[in-house]
Amino acid sequence: MIVFVVIQSQVFAVAFALLATGAIILTLNVLLLGGRIIFFQSLSLLGYCLFPLDVGALICLLKDNVVMKMVVVCVTFAWSSWAAYPFISTAVNPRRKALAIYPVLLMYVSVGFLIIAIN
Protein backbone atom coordinates (compact mmCIF):
# COMPACT_ATOMS: atom_id res chain seq x y z
CA MET A 1 0.00 0.00 0.00
CA ILE A 2 2.79 2.44 0.86
CA VAL A 3 4.63 1.71 -2.41
CA PHE A 4 1.46 2.50 -4.38
CA VAL A 5 1.08 5.86 -2.59
CA VAL A 6 4.74 6.73 -3.29
CA ILE A 7 4.33 5.92 -6.99
CA GLN A 8 1.15 7.99 -7.20
CA SER A 9 2.86 10.98 -5.60
CA GLN A 10 5.82 10.65 -7.98
CA VAL A 11 3.50 10.56 -11.00
CA PHE A 12 1.68 13.64 -9.70
CA ALA A 13 4.99 15.45 -9.11
CA VAL A 14 6.19 14.67 -12.64
CA ALA A 15 2.90 15.79 -14.20
CA PHE A 16 2.84 18.98 -12.11
CA ALA A 17 6.46 19.82 -12.94
CA LEU A 18 5.86 19.12 -16.62
CA LEU A 19 2.88 21.46 -16.72
CA ALA A 20 4.70 24.25 -14.85
CA THR A 21 7.80 23.92 -17.03
CA GLY A 22 5.64 23.88 -20.15
CA ALA A 23 3.90 27.08 -19.07
CA ILE A 24 7.22 28.81 -18.43
CA ILE A 25 8.61 27.71 -21.81
CA LEU A 26 5.41 28.68 -23.62
CA THR A 27 5.41 32.12 -22.00
CA LEU A 28 9.05 32.77 -22.84
CA ASN A 29 8.61 31.45 -26.37
CA VAL A 30 5.63 33.66 -27.14
CA LEU A 31 7.33 36.69 -25.63
CA LEU A 32 10.52 36.07 -27.62
CA LEU A 33 8.45 35.74 -30.79
CA GLY A 34 7.05 39.21 -30.17
CA GLY A 35 3.65 38.12 -28.86
CA ARG A 36 1.77 39.07 -25.76
CA ILE A 37 0.98 36.53 -23.03
CA ILE A 38 1.48 36.26 -19.29
CA PHE A 39 2.47 33.19 -17.29
CA PHE A 40 -0.98 32.57 -15.81
CA GLN A 41 -2.59 32.75 -19.25
CA SER A 42 -0.26 30.09 -20.58
CA LEU A 43 -0.75 27.94 -17.47
CA SER A 44 -4.51 28.20 -17.89
CA LEU A 45 -4.24 27.47 -21.61
CA LEU A 46 -2.13 24.36 -21.09
CA GLY A 47 -4.35 23.09 -18.31
CA TYR A 48 -7.55 23.66 -20.27
CA CYS A 49 -6.22 22.05 -23.43
CA LEU A 50 -4.74 19.14 -21.47
CA PHE A 51 -8.25 17.92 -20.59
CA PRO A 52 -8.60 15.60 -23.62
CA LEU A 53 -5.36 13.85 -22.65
CA ASP A 54 -6.76 13.48 -19.12
CA VAL A 55 -9.80 11.76 -20.56
CA GLY A 56 -7.49 9.56 -22.61
CA ALA A 57 -5.52 8.65 -19.49
CA LEU A 58 -8.72 7.59 -17.75
CA ILE A 59 -9.71 5.44 -20.73
CA CYS A 60 -6.24 3.88 -20.79
CA LEU A 61 -6.54 2.99 -17.10
CA LEU A 62 -9.53 0.82 -17.90
CA LYS A 63 -7.87 -1.20 -20.67
CA ASP A 64 -4.41 -2.75 -20.74
CA ASN A 65 -4.10 -3.13 -24.53
CA VAL A 66 -1.05 -1.20 -25.83
CA VAL A 67 -2.48 -0.74 -29.33
CA MET A 68 -5.69 0.69 -27.94
CA LYS A 69 -3.68 2.99 -25.65
CA MET A 70 -1.71 4.28 -28.64
CA VAL A 71 -4.89 4.96 -30.62
CA VAL A 72 -6.53 6.74 -27.68
CA VAL A 73 -3.43 8.84 -27.03
CA CYS A 74 -3.12 9.79 -30.72
CA VAL A 75 -6.77 10.87 -30.86
CA THR A 76 -6.61 12.83 -27.60
CA PHE A 77 -3.26 14.38 -28.62
CA ALA A 78 -4.85 15.65 -31.83
CA TRP A 79 -7.82 16.96 -29.84
CA SER A 80 -5.57 18.78 -27.34
CA SER A 81 -3.44 20.27 -30.11
CA TRP A 82 -6.51 21.40 -32.03
CA ALA A 83 -7.86 23.06 -28.86
CA ALA A 84 -4.57 24.89 -28.15
CA TYR A 85 -3.98 26.18 -31.68
CA PRO A 86 -6.51 29.08 -31.70
CA PHE A 87 -5.27 30.43 -28.38
CA ILE A 88 -1.61 30.33 -29.34
CA SER A 89 -2.17 31.65 -32.86
CA THR A 90 -3.85 34.82 -31.61
CA ALA A 91 -0.94 35.61 -29.28
CA VAL A 92 1.73 35.87 -31.98
CA ASN A 93 2.30 37.21 -35.47
CA PRO A 94 0.49 35.03 -38.07
CA ARG A 95 3.80 34.13 -39.73
CA ARG A 96 5.14 32.71 -36.45
CA LYS A 97 2.25 30.45 -35.46
CA ALA A 98 4.18 27.24 -36.09
CA LEU A 99 7.07 28.41 -33.90
CA ALA A 100 4.66 29.28 -31.10
CA ILE A 101 2.72 26.00 -31.16
CA TYR A 102 5.78 23.74 -31.39
CA PRO A 103 6.66 23.68 -27.64
CA VAL A 104 3.03 22.95 -26.78
CA LEU A 105 3.00 19.99 -29.15
CA LEU A 106 6.22 18.67 -27.62
CA MET A 107 4.72 18.89 -24.15
CA TYR A 108 1.56 17.08 -25.23
CA VAL A 109 3.68 14.35 -26.89
CA SER A 110 5.58 13.85 -23.64
CA VAL A 111 2.31 13.63 -21.70
CA GLY A 112 1.09 11.08 -24.25
CA PHE A 113 4.21 8.97 -23.73
CA LEU A 114 3.63 9.12 -19.98
CA ILE A 115 0.06 7.90 -20.46
CA ILE A 116 1.22 4.95 -22.56
CA ALA A 117 4.12 4.07 -20.26
CA ILE A 118 2.28 4.11 -16.94
CA ASN A 119 0.03 1.15 -16.26
Side-chain angles (χ1 to χ4, degrees):
M1 179 69 176
I2 294 174
V3 173
F4 185 67
V5 172
V6 170
I7 292 172
Q8 281 182 335
S9 64
Q10 288 175 348
V11 169
F12 175 77
V14 167
F16 187 79
L18 183 67
L19 185 62
T21 305
I24 291 169
I25 291 171
L26 175 64
T27 303
L28 290 175
N29 186 41
V30 169
L31 290 175
L32 290 173
L33 289 173
R36 295 185 50 148
I37 195 168
I38 60 173
F39 172 74
F40 294 111
Q41 285 177 322
S42 63
L43 186 64
S44 174
L45 164 79
L46 293 176
Y48 168 74
C49 295
L50 194 68
F51 177 73
L53 283 167
D54 293 338
V55 171
L58 289 175
I59 293 170
C60 290
L61 279 175
L62 301 175
K63 299 289 183 180
D64 199 23
N65 186 353
V66 176
V67 174
M68 195 221 41
K69 282 183 178 183
M70 291 177 71
V71 169
V72 167
V73 167
C74 286
V75 168
T76 56
F77 166 76
W79 183 7
S80 292
S81 302
W82 178 74
Y85 180 75
F87 297 113
I88 300 291
S89 64
T90 59
V92 295
N93 187 341
R95 295 183 332 184
R96 297 181 176 182
K97 289 180 187 179
L99 291 173
I101 196 74
Y102 183 70
V104 177
L105 297 179
L106 285 179
M107 190 190 84
Y108 289 157
V109 165
S110 62
V111 170
F113 280 130
L114 284 173
I115 292 170
I116 292 171
I118 297 173
N119 286 330

